[in-house]
Amino acid sequence: MTFVFRHLKVVAGHSGACALAAVLGGHISHESGMIGVVISGGGVDWPTFHRLISHSTHRREPARV
């Protein structure tokens, strides 16, 4: 959720963020080099979202987008 918010400027729900994390983590094979991810969102209340993004850790290596 933090990656999506900081890099794509989208408030994503848990499910959308998990789908993107699986792709970026290399857990989804895509031989064609193209893949689509539905990033649905906003299904989290503001206090919870703020707490999650303010306490997350930063990746040392850049994510592939």
Side-chain angles (χ1 to χ4, degrees):
M1 290 171 67
T2 302
F3 176 85
V4 174
F5 180 71
R6 291 192 176 146
H7 295 279
L8 303 178
K9 308 301 185 216
V10 172
V11 176
H14 299 90
S15 298
C18 285
L20 182 61
V23 172
L24 293 176
H27 300 287
I28 306 294
S29 63
H30 48 91
E31 292 80 25
S32 69
M34 297 178 69
I35 192 165
V37 177
V38 175
I39 301 176
S40 57
V44 61
D45 63 281
W46 176 247
T48 302
F49 181 75
H50 185 267
R51 181 177 47 82
L52 290 171
I53 65 168
S54 63
H55 290 104
S56 67
T57 58
H58 296 282
R59 294 174 57 126
R60 293 190 182 269
E61 71 280 355
R64 299 168 291 154
V65 178

